[in-house]
Amino acid sequence: MLINKNWKIQYFDVGQVRDLTIADPNYIDHFWMSAKVPGDVHSILREKNLIDDPFFGHNDLKSKWVEEKVWWYRTEFTFEKNLDQDERLELIFEGLDTFATVYLNGVELGSTENMFISHTFDVTREIVDGRNVLAVKFNPVSYQLKDKEKNYWAGFGKDRIWARKAQYHFGWDWGPQILTVGIWKEVRLEKRKIAKIESVYARTLDIQDSRALVQIDIYTKSFVKGKPLHAEITLKDPEQQFFQTVNMEQDRATLKLNIDHPNLWWTHDLGEPNLYQLSVVLKWEDEVLDTYQTEIGIRTMEVMQRDREGNPRFTFVLNGVEIFAKGANWIPVDSFLGSAPESRYRHLIQLAKEANMNMLRVWGGGIYEKDIFYQECNRQGILVWQDFMFACALYPDYNRNYMENVREEVVSVIKRLRNHPSIALWCGNNENDWLYEVERAAGNIHTPFYGEKIYHELIPELLEELDPSRVYWPSSPYGGNDHNSEEEGDRHNWQVWHGNVEPRKFGQNLGQNISVEGVSFRNYKKDRTRFCSEFGMHASANRYTLEKNLPEGTFYWGSDELAYRNKDYHHIKGILLMEGYTGVPKNVEEYMNYSMLTQAEGLKYGMEHYRRNKPQTSGALIWQLNDCWPGTSWSMIDYYLLPKASYYYSKKFNAPLLFMLEHDPGDDLHLWIVNDRLEDVEDILVFEVFRFNGELVYSKEFLIHVKANTSTRIASLTEAEVLQGQPAEQVVVRLKSLKKKAEENYYYLRNHKDLQLPKAKLQVKVIPEKQEVEICTDCFARFVKLELPAEKIIFSDNFFDLLPSERKIIKIRHLDGKTISLDDLSVSAINGSA
């Protein structure tokens, strides 16, 4: 029974009213505000116009009072209490944010202090026949933690280290500080009889010679002793079905299934993400007591940390196949998680798949994601690097109560997520090991490594017991002489953007070079990491996103309101990056174009470098895929699900077969082919150099045969040879597959700011009935941009380059399938307009 109706909320000052007064069933709450559950207080207040939209302008500061109040939720429901002696009732809160006390009919059931996990209360005696009143009190975070020790290192606010609450709610360098509160997941009342299924653990033990061995462990909890129980297990897909019955012995049973010719789960780029339906029915005699259903995938997953010669690697191996992990870091989809629709998850994961990504990293400062996230990754064939929720701080592992809370969290999370085939790796934290050593070496930390017991003792011990099927990695980054070493393990490349001076070794200071050269994306080429789990740079949000959230008269370059969108307060880094590549913007139009172009070309430069280095480098995850609010950040897709230029670039630079050019101004040109597919490819690579007026300067064809799952350099050319006397500032290079097996790839022999681009005149034909646009140009058009003032608009291509001899048709779609008005469509290029 869902308890999702008739909820009301109201706020009080701390200590204003006795708790039992408000929890009393006879307390009059007639004039409280109606509320949605699941949801959150801020969204309810916003809907009722009691606060201004916290995302607009500086309005988040105007709603700070919300965080300082005690908030109460109340509802009433009717229940017919006709329970047998062997039956009991459980009240389940899937998510309470965060410091909550629960009352039923005036009886205090207990308190909670963990947003990440569900909370269950036995209410068999407390529930009554007829009207029941449920009340939940939420204390302010600041009040709850006011007496806690916080005088040790923690980035982005010190309160958060004691709160098992989404850490980014306390503010991060890409999002605002908004401390949400409320019932953010479902509330249920469930009737139990005799026993219940506590958890099910299904895993692939082995795959050999077209046969898979699958083990299923079932754990139950009995309320009545002496009743012999059994479970009926069904495992099926469209082609096969397996059925077996097992007896429960001491609340546990194990079943092993041999499956001939299994349909394996693959990432979408290597095969089909086949799923089996698993059903477990718990019975006493012929009576059904409980059921459990989920989807599982038959697959093996390892992380190769040494190759056959003993060299360091960090390579994910799926079903025996070494893969290159291409993807991005995932942050929470909204600052207001309880109100975020499931469609938001489906859209973002579908967009990741369309960008040829095969891995997402759930970053350790957010949440263990909602079920819909993992279900979509399972179904769409995307691997998940799963962090535990500890990030950029020391955590009080010396406190017994805190550690008991964390233990309950870790156990709950492992049991909830371990059946998802998409989860490839568990990781203990984000950057804690690395930053602790860096800050201690610099003399900024003088305490022990608080939190170490969590990542290096508690979590691995629990995983060994509850999920030995996956690799555990203590931290990200981790490995080598400096946890951020390129020589072993995984690495976060923050030379680019943050200007970190690396490599370093344990005990050395981590320098910073905040200069054009120090933050330049060309530093990616120095990185020989085994696996880059974070790298990226800022770009402006799209015009619609900025205009919608900036007060009138503030949408201009240099305004305080525009700067407020950027929570990485060292704004000079973005200016220096643009200065080196595009030049410094003079107005907001140039800022949007230059920042997006720099991010797109920079991520292309980095990803192509990492892919060339396969298999020594075996993965690169961009920071970051998405945004939680309409700000300026490292994201590739902004808050309104409008992709930036880097997203459209990523569809090409992540392609399974990629023709690429390795080149820096003045150097030779090296032609490479990366083939991530599992079959050899034969093709003809056409190398072309054009003047901006469309004149062909140089052309050469290369017959290629590239082996499966390899990276190969096929030729080198000098600038002098390909330019044929033309200025490098006046040409564009195109790589083309004659058999159309790979995307076209464009390159420039000089930085954008040095190009002598002509003024282009675009011709645009809009075809509303087909939701299409046809574009051509009189001379080379750089960075052709289509814009519509609406959310969730996706173009088949955008921010592309166009030669004068060609015509491009762009299909336009709305993520929700709506028909789009094209009346306000604008088309421009960085060097021209329609």
Side-chain angles (χ1 to χ4, degrees):
M1 172 184 171
L2 277 180
I3 303 178
N4 59 359
K5 293 183 171 62
N6 306 316
W7 284 97
K8 297 178 178 181
I9 63 168
Q10 186 56 274
Y11 66 88
F12 301 86
D13 291 329
V14 174
Q16 180 180 341
V17 185
R18 288 180 66 246
D19 292 354
L20 290 177
T21 299
I22 303 176
D24 190 299
N26 296 316
Y27 179 84
I28 297 174
D29 60 11
H30 299 338
F31 301 106
W32 283 25
M33 293 172 267
S34 60
K36 291 179 181 177
V37 169
D40 63 87
V41 165
H42 284 83
S43 295
I44 296 164
L45 297 177
R46 174 71 187 97
E47 194 174 275
K48 298 183 183 305
N49 294 315
L50 294 174
I51 60 171
D52 296 327
D53 182 359
F55 288 164
F56 183 87
H58 280 63
N59 285 349
D60 57 313
L61 302 179
K62 293 164 63 176
S63 61
K64 286 294 181 187
W65 65 270
V66 177
E67 303 168 7
E68 301 304 319
K69 301 297 183 181
V70 174
W71 288 93
W72 280 84
Y73 278 68
R74 278 175 57 101
T75 189
E76 60 179 67
F77 60 93
T78 302
F79 186 79
E80 294 183 15
K81 189 172 182 179
N82 52 353
L83 298 178
D84 294 339
Q85 185 175 354
D86 290 342
E87 292 180 329
R88 63 177 54 194
L89 291 170
E90 289 185 340
L91 178 64
I92 302 166
F93 290 86
E94 292 290 348
L96 293 169
D97 180 15
T98 292
F99 296 104
T101 307
V102 179
Y103 299 84
L104 178 62
N105 299 323
V107 175
E108 181 181 336
L109 300 178
S111 296
T112 73
E113 51 183 4
N114 197 313
M115 172 186 180
F116 300 128
I117 60 177
S118 64
H119 304 277
T120 300
F121 303 93
D122 184 342
V123 294
T124 310
R125 295 178 301 174
E126 287 66 43
I127 206 160
V128 298
D129 193 43
R131 175 179 177 265
N132 288 267
V133 175
L134 183 58
V136 184
K137 172 196 175 187
F138 291 94
N139 271 340
V141 171
S142 59
Y143 171 79
Q144 196 77 23
L145 304 179
K146 65 181 186 301
D147 296 325
K148 296 295 186 183
E149 170 63 58
K150 302 161 198 157
N151 291 322
Y152 45 85
W153 175 74
F156 312 106
K158 295 182 181 293
D159 267 355
R160 67 185 181 87
I161 60 178
W162 288 94
R164 297 314 297 149
K165 172 178 174 60
Q167 302 287 272
Y168 80 107
H169 282 163
F170 295 83
W172 221 264
D173 53 7
W174 38 258
Q177 182 188 86
I178 300 177
L179 295 178
T180 57
V181 59
I183 302 174
W184 75 286
K185 287 188 175 182
E186 288 183 344
V187 184
R188 302 193 317 275
L189 190 64
E190 293 191 354
K191 184 184 290 188
R192 307 293 192 186
K193 182 174 182 179
I194 299 175
K196 68 175 180 178
I197 298 172
E198 193 165 61
S199 70
V200 173
Y201 178 30
R203 64 192 186 278
T204 306
L205 297 180
D206 190 32
I207 300 173
Q208 292 284 344
D209 301 324
S210 299
R211 172 175 284 199
L213 180 62
V214 176
Q215 179 168 316
I216 301 169
D217 297 318
I218 303 161
Y219 303 87
T220 58
K221 182 176 181 180
S222 296
F223 308 122
V224 179
K225 302 301 180 184
K227 302 277 189 181
L229 307 176
H230 66 274
E232 297 175 349
I233 298 101
T234 305
L235 185 67
K236 65 180 180 179
D237 73 352
E239 297 177 9
Q240 297 174 303
Q241 178 167 320
F242 302 87
F243 177 83
Q244 199 159 329
T245 299
V246 293
N247 293 322
M248 303 302 302
E249 303 288 346
Q250 295 183 327
D251 283 335
R252 178 172 178 174
T254 294
L255 169 69
K256 290 184 179 179
L257 291 173
N258 278 299
I259 300 176
D260 288 326
H261 304 291
N263 293 312
L264 302 183
W265 186 91
W266 292 96
T267 51
H268 67 89
D269 53 335
L270 297 180
E272 290 296 322
N274 296 296
L275 293 169
Y276 285 75
Q277 305 295 319
L278 173 63
S279 170
V280 178
V281 179
L282 181 65
K283 286 186 172 183
W284 169 62
E285 296 180 343
D286 290 330
E287 186 173 359
V288 174
L289 304 180
D290 200 1
T291 59
Y292 172 90
Q293 290 183 319
T294 192
E295 293 176 322
I296 69 165
I298 297 177
R299 59 105 178 107
T300 60
M301 172 59 66
E302 305 167 75
V303 179
M304 180 197 299
Q305 296 184 46
R306 287 284 186 275
D307 65 16
R308 292 177 184 85
E309 289 73 41
N311 301 309
R313 291 272 289 275
F314 199 90
T315 306
F316 286 86
V317 183
L318 175 63
N319 299 328
V321 174
E322 297 180 22
I323 68 172
F324 189 98
K326 297 171 292 192
N329 285 261
W330 173 281
I331 67 166
V333 300
D334 208 305
S335 291
F336 305 111
L337 290 164
S339 302
E342 288 193 347
S343 62
R344 195 164 176 81
Y345 287 86
R346 293 191 186 95
H347 293 330
L348 280 166
I349 294 168
Q350 179 65 36
L351 288 172
K353 178 182 177 182
E354 291 175 9
N356 294 303
M357 296 182 185
N358 60 17
M359 180 177 283
L360 295 171
R361 173 181 174 231
V362 177
W363 167 76
I367 60 170
Y368 308 98
E369 271 299 351
K370 296 180 182 179
D371 291 342
I372 184 66
F373 170 84
Y374 303 101
Q375 291 164 359
E376 286 299 308
C377 287
N378 295 341
R379 294 165 188 170
Q380 298 199 39
I382 294 179
L383 292 168
V384 175
W385 171 307
Q386 178 66 55
D387 281 6
F388 286 90
M389 294 301 118
F390 304 91
C392 301
L394 300 178
Y395 289 87
D397 61 0
Y398 52 80
N399 183 279
R400 186 180 68 177
N401 294 344
Y402 182 86
M403 289 296 280
E404 287 175 355
N405 189 10
V406 169
R407 170 180 283 273
E408 183 183 2
E409 171 188 320
V410 173
V411 169
S412 175
V413 166
I414 295 171
K415 288 181 177 180
R416 178 167 80 90
L417 301 184
R418 63 188 174 181
N419 288 335
H420 292 291
S422 54
I423 294 185
L425 173 144
W426 298 103
C427 179
N429 67 72
N430 174 74
E431 298 188 343
N432 291 356
D433 290 63
W434 171 45
L435 291 180
Y436 174 79
E437 196 278 326
V438 166
E439 294 297 325
R440 190 171 178 84
N444 299 327
I445 292 180
H446 305 284
T447 67
F449 181 15
Y450 293 135
E452 184 177 25
K453 291 180 181 179
I454 300 172
Y455 333 123
H456 294 275
E457 296 178 19
L458 177 65
I459 295 176
E461 287 172 4
L462 291 173
L463 281 169
E464 186 175 357
E465 173 191 350
L466 301 172
D467 184 21
S469 72
R470 291 177 177 86
V471 164
Y472 172 67
W473 197 241
S475 182
S476 181
Y478 192 80
N481 189 349
D482 176 18
H483 291 309
N484 203 29
S485 167
E486 66 179 10
E487 296 171 359
E488 290 188 44
D490 73 313
R491 178 162 194 256
H492 293 185
N493 187 325
W494 290 118
Q495 288 174 275
V496 179
W497 183 265
H498 288 310
N500 289 353
V501 178
E502 295 174 299
R504 69 178 282 275
K505 295 187 183 299
F506 288 138
Q508 296 177 347
N509 279 337
L510 175 63
Q512 282 194 308
N513 179 5
I514 307 298
S515 68
V516 169
E517 295 75 21
V519 304
S520 169
F521 62 69
R522 298 197 188 276
N523 287 312
Y524 287 134
K525 198 171 181 179
K526 303 173 184 175
D527 190 3
R528 311 300 294 185
T529 183
R530 309 300 140 177
F531 192 103
C532 189
S533 43
E534 279 189 23
F535 74 107
M537 61 202 75
H538 267 214
S540 168
N542 287 277
R543 181 193 309 276
Y544 171 83
T545 303
L546 293 176
E547 286 187 330
K548 185 178 174 68
N549 291 283
L550 293 176
E552 187 175 354
T554 65
F555 183 49
Y556 62 89
W557 180 235
S559 78
D560 287 345
E561 289 288 354
L562 186 62
Y564 195 66
R565 299 286 104 192
N566 182 354
K567 297 305 182 185
D568 182 25
Y569 55 88
H570 299 294
H571 292 184
I572 187 64
K573 299 170 190 172
I575 302 298
L576 291 169
L577 256 169
M578 290 185 285
E579 182 180 338
Y581 186 67
T582 60
V584 177
K586 298 183 290 294
N587 53 56
V588 72
E589 187 72 28
E590 286 190 346
Y591 164 63
M592 291 187 293
N593 281 335
Y594 287 5
S595 65
M596 280 208 199
L597 178 60
T598 302
Q599 183 194 50
E601 290 286 350
L603 293 180
K604 174 185 177 181
Y605 189 92
M607 183 63 85
E608 290 188 350
H609 162 73
Y610 290 130
R611 292 189 66 186
R612 281 194 299 271
N613 286 343
K614 75 178 284 186
Q616 286 74 28
T617 299
S618 292
L621 307 180
I622 293 166
W623 183 270
Q624 63 206 60
L625 180 71
N626 57 310
D627 268 331
C628 70
W629 82 306
T632 294
S633 78
W634 292 266
S635 73
M636 305 170 74
I637 302 170
D638 76 23
Y639 177 74
Y640 293 115
L641 302 186
L642 297 174
K644 301 178 185 179
S646 61
Y647 172 81
Y648 290 100
Y649 270 54
S650 73
K651 294 174 76 171
K652 301 168 187 174
F653 65 60
N654 284 332
L657 181 66
L658 180 64
F659 298 170
M660 70 177 93
L661 183 64
E662 178 190 359
H663 172 262
D664 287 307
D667 294 345
D668 288 349
L669 292 72
H670 306 294
L671 291 172
W672 288 77
I673 299 176
V674 176
N675 180 17
D676 287 344
R677 294 173 176 159
L678 302 186
E679 64 273 349
D680 296 357
V681 173
E682 291 185 356
D683 201 350
I684 295 174
L685 166 58
V686 182
F687 177 95
E688 299 169 309
V689 180
F690 295 93
R691 291 183 61 196
F692 292 140
N693 64 5
E695 176 189 337
L696 183 64
V697 173
Y698 178 88
S699 179
K700 190 169 184 177
E701 294 185 354
F702 298 89
L703 183 63
I704 62 167
H705 181 102
V706 58
K707 294 287 187 184
N709 211 5
T710 59
S711 172
T712 307
R713 187 165 115 174
I714 62 168
S716 294
L717 303 166
T718 65
E719 279 194 357
E721 178 183 353
V722 304
L723 285 171
Q724 297 290 299
Q726 297 294 324
E729 296 80 8
Q730 296 179 10
V731 301
V732 57
V733 176
R734 179 171 70 177
L735 305 184
K736 185 171 72 172
S737 163
L738 203 61
K739 297 183 179 180
K740 300 189 183 303
K741 293 186 177 182
E743 293 270 3
E744 293 181 355
N745 211 345
Y746 289 85
Y747 293 90
Y748 303 87
L749 303 186
R750 296 296 180 265
N751 289 326
H752 176 81
K753 64 182 180 179
D754 300 320
L755 299 181
Q756 296 170 10
L757 291 165
K759 190 74 173 174
K761 178 65 176 175
L762 302 174
Q763 291 88 48
V764 179
K765 181 182 178 183
V766 179
I767 313 169
E769 63 274 14
K770 290 187 175 182
Q771 300 278 276
E772 289 180 358
V773 180
E774 188 178 286
I775 304 170
C776 57
T777 178
D778 63 344
C779 63
F780 183 76
R782 176 77 166 116
F783 209 57
V784 178
K785 174 173 66 174
L786 290 81
E787 293 180 300
L788 275 166
E791 302 179 16
K792 304 179 186 177
I793 303 296
I794 306 298
F795 300 95
S796 59
D797 198 3
N798 204 356
F799 304 96
F800 54 85
D801 299 334
L802 190 61
L803 286 162
S805 59
E806 300 185 350
R807 188 175 301 270
K808 186 139 181 157
I809 295 176
I810 303 297
K811 297 182 182 297
I812 307 172
R813 80 178 199 269
H814 191 284
L815 285 172
D816 291 330
K818 298 177 182 177
T819 299
I820 303 164
S821 170
L822 304 183
D823 293 345
D824 296 322
L825 176 72
S826 69
V827 181
S828 62
I830 212 164
N831 63 318
S833 59

